[in-house]
Amino acid sequence: MSTLETLKSLFEASLTPSPTVITIGLLVVLFAPVLLHFLYSAATPYTTLPSVLLLGPSGAGKTALLTLFERGPSSPSPAQTHTSQVTSSVELAVAQETSYTTDLDATGATAKKFLLVDTPGHPKLRAANALSYLSSAEPTIKSPLASDHGAKSKLKALVFVVDAAALADGDALPQTAEYLYEVLLTLQKRFHGRKGSRAPASMPVLIAANKLDLFTALPAALVKSNLEAELGRIRAARSNGLLDSGVGQDDLNANDEVEGWLGGDGSEKFSFAQMMEFDVEVDVIGGNVVGDGPGAEKWWKWIGERV
Ligand SMILES: Nc1nc2c(ncn2[C@@H]2O[C@H](COP(=O)(O)OP(=O)(O)OP(=O)(O)O)[C@@H](O)[C@H]2O)c(=O)[nH]1
Ligand SMILES: [Mg+2]
């Protein structure tokens, strides 16, 4: 029989209703999508690797924290850092209910992999690095890992590191709050800009009150209330500036209010709870990277619950 004839008879058989043909047909219909899914997800394994962004003013301890989570406490002191100039990231894995020390080699089904992304805190480098990630409706970070082939990583949470010891005096509080204001306002604008898109807007923010090993450091509760008070001051100053600049109260419509006013309208005092309206949940937790103190375990747990 020639090839043509074989094909012909096969074609005829396939058109003749028979249990075999129906079974094969059903199998193809049912399993082709499943097979395609596995082929596709095997080819691009990291497209959904979540990421966590480290933000905060220069010198707060972001790079030190990243180094601690990457290498563990026994590594040669994570304290040796320089002012960061570029964004950098490491791939970490968190296994539930354990600490970062035991999670160092976390593998297997319970380990959740994520990218921890360190950004420079210098005011001139913030806009291009940290803040640029936050503004889009569905923030993603281009993975720097070669194994990812530049895949996009989905931003899951923010860790805003502050120096709790520096906050006690001088310019650190207004400078830290200024940066935090920008971050929260960017998230708030993103919430409004997201309308119509299906992307979930919620973005948990951890304010990591760092350096609690130093005796001058403010406890987390005080860091929280000081920051809230300062954010309230900045908010009032900004809206005054808007009024002073010749824009009458009547000209300020709802949209303008959204533009620069952080948190719920009308409230006299600012509190982090007001950010819930925009699906931004803020937690303040104390800890330290070097020295004796509460350590970084609570931060690790917080991150683990959100990636
Ligand atoms: N005492 C104490 N010092 C810390 C702690 N964490 C970080 N430091 C020190 O703070 C300094 C600044 O830390 P970095 O991690 O470089 O700060 P950064 O936030 O990365 O700063 P930029 O890269 O400039 O944005 C370093 O000298 C660290 O050793 C801490 O928990 N306690
Ligand atoms: Mg740094």
Side-chain angles (χ1 to χ4, degrees):
M1 214 170 4
S2 77
T3 337
L4 200 67
E5 277 172 342
T6 324
L7 277 178
K8 206 174 151 198
S9 62
L10 266 180
F11 183 67
E12 271 171 7
S14 72
L15 289 182
T16 323
S18 77
T20 333
V21 169
I22 291 173
T23 320
I24 293 175
L26 272 179
L27 282 178
V28 168
V29 167
L30 288 179
F31 289 105
V34 179
L35 204 71
L36 276 176
H37 167 80
F38 278 113
L39 281 177
Y40 183 74
S41 55
T44 50
Y46 286 123
T47 34
T48 54
L49 194 69
S51 51
V52 175
L53 196 61
L54 287 174
L55 307 154
S58 195
K62 298 178 293 297
T63 310
L65 182 62
L66 179 105
T67 315
L68 177 74
F69 283 160
E70 186 187 11
R71 300 189 198 149
S74 52
S75 75
S77 163
Q80 312 301 309
T81 62
H82 311 274
T83 299
S84 306
Q85 308 214 351
V86 292
T87 298
S88 69
S89 40
V90 293
E91 188 184 315
L92 301 173
V94 56
Q96 268 139 356
E97 313 295 336
T98 43
S99 83
Y100 63 87
T101 29
T102 52
D103 280 352
L104 268 181
D105 307 307
T107 44
T110 54
K112 287 181 284 179
K113 282 187 176 181
F114 69 99
L115 276 182
L116 189 61
V117 184
D118 181 25
T119 60
H122 191 281
K124 286 189 177 154
L125 303 171
R126 279 172 203 171
N129 289 276
L131 293 170
S132 68
Y133 293 126
L134 303 180
S135 41
S136 77
E138 207 164 349
T140 49
I141 288 175
K142 196 157 177 283
S143 169
L145 304 173
S147 57
D148 290 5
H149 309 290
K152 289 283 174 81
S153 161
K154 200 163 173 237
L155 192 59
K156 280 294 181 74
L158 305 183
V159 178
F160 191 92
V161 186
V162 303
D163 182 340
L167 281 189
D169 52 28
D171 302 331
L173 180 62
Q175 281 166 9
T176 304
E178 190 70 44
Y179 188 9
L180 186 57
Y181 196 96
E182 266 177 78
V183 170
L184 294 178
L185 195 62
T186 310
L187 292 179
Q188 181 177 325
K189 282 182 185 163
R190 168 179 158 258
F191 179 88
H192 286 290
R194 169 209 52 109
K195 269 179 194 137
S197 101
R198 283 180 301 123
S202 75
M203 182 64 72
V205 178
L206 170 66
I207 297 181
N210 192 21
K211 309 202 185 178
L212 290 199
D213 55 303
L214 303 173
F215 80 100
T216 47
L218 301 178
L222 219 51
V223 167
K224 182 179 182 200
S225 56
N226 282 4
L227 280 175
E228 283 179 332
E230 191 60 32
L231 288 170
R233 265 195 286 278
I234 295 173
R235 180 170 79 168
R238 285 200 178 194
S239 70
N240 282 341
L242 207 57
L243 291 175
D244 290 348
S245 65
V247 188
Q249 182 76 63
D250 300 339
D251 302 333
L252 286 176
N253 57 31
N255 276 337
D256 292 333
E257 206 125 86
V258 163
E259 279 300 302
W261 184 265
L262 186 68
D265 332 275
S267 42
E268 189 74 14
K269 283 174 72 180
F270 175 81
S271 74
F272 288 128
Q274 289 168 17
M275 295 306 294
M276 287 298 281
E277 197 180 313
F278 311 104
D279 270 350
V280 177
E281 185 196 342
V282 183
D283 292 306
V284 186
I285 302 175
N288 59 291
V289 176
V290 297
D292 289 327
E297 298 288 4
K298 282 191 182 151
W299 299 334
W300 182 252
K301 195 163 178 289
W302 187 94
I303 293 174
E305 284 163 1
R306 278 153 188 89
V307 290

